[in-house]
Amino acid sequence: GRSAPVPLKLVDPVPPVAPSLSRSLAMAFFRAAVAAVLASSAQGVSQQAALKNTMNPIMKVVTLLQDMQHKVIAEGEAEKDLYKKFMCYCTTGTGDLSASITAAETKMPEVTAEITVSEEKLEQSKADLAQAQTDRAAAEEAMKEATGIREKEAAAFA
């Protein structure tokens, strides 16, 4: 069922020319063609893209692998930097966290005592308010009685 693999043909960089032209003239013609392609890259097409268009398939694969290698190396450097930052955080972060926990544990009894004192003051203020309200009600009642007695005395006097 399998077909035999097709052998790869190596491509001659010099294009076939008429037999009357010498090999040096053919090479000059090929260089002129490459120069024309490179000159077209100056008109908007990048030099690297133009060069890739003139490369044979093996060179294209090699170029792609080299580009991939550079990209992987750059990603590796970025990962290495991130790892260093993470490890720095791990070594210094635990010290910072334990220091803040210790500070919070020392401050907790102080804060609890302040809360207790504030609650006692609140209860005392509520009791004082209730007493003031009953005293006010009693004073208003006394004023009403005094006003009533004065009105009776004024009516008897008049």
Side-chain angles (χ1 to χ4, degrees):
R2 287 187 169 181
S3 61
V6 177
L8 292 175
K9 291 183 181 179
L10 295 178
V11 179
D12 186 12
V14 179
V17 292
S20 63
L21 293 175
S22 69
R23 183 155 177 87
S24 63
L25 184 61
M27 190 60 124
F29 176 74
F30 180 72
R31 286 187 186 134
V34 169
V37 168
L38 291 178
S40 72
S41 69
Q43 298 173 355
V45 178
S46 71
Q47 237 179 9
Q48 188 176 6
L51 187 59
K52 283 183 179 178
N53 288 338
T54 60
M55 291 190 294
N56 65 24
I58 294 173
M59 287 304 296
K60 286 182 182 180
V61 170
V62 169
T63 304
L64 286 173
L65 289 174
Q66 288 172 344
D67 291 345
M68 187 184 300
Q69 179 184 14
H70 294 301
K71 185 177 178 181
V72 167
I73 289 172
E75 289 175 354
E77 291 296 322
E79 288 291 325
K80 185 191 263 185
D81 291 341
L82 284 175
Y83 179 75
K84 284 181 183 177
K85 288 178 183 176
F86 177 73
M87 290 308 296
C88 179
Y89 170 76
C90 286
T91 55
T92 60
T94 55
D96 294 344
L97 287 176
S98 52
S100 66
I101 289 171
T102 305
E105 287 174 346
T106 358
K107 193 174 182 182
M108 196 178 336
E110 296 171 12
V111 172
T112 306
E114 289 177 14
I115 290 173
T116 306
V117 168
S118 296
E119 287 175 348
E120 290 172 358
K121 285 182 181 179
L122 178 65
E123 290 300 320
Q124 182 62 40
S125 296
K126 285 181 181 179
D128 291 346
L129 178 63
Q131 183 62 40
Q133 287 174 341
T134 56
D135 290 347
R136 181 178 177 199
E140 286 177 353
E141 189 63 38
M143 282 178 44
K144 283 182 186 178
E145 286 180 26
T147 304
I149 292 173
R150 275 194 304 267
E151 285 177 357
K152 282 184 188 179
E153 289 175 354
F157 181 71

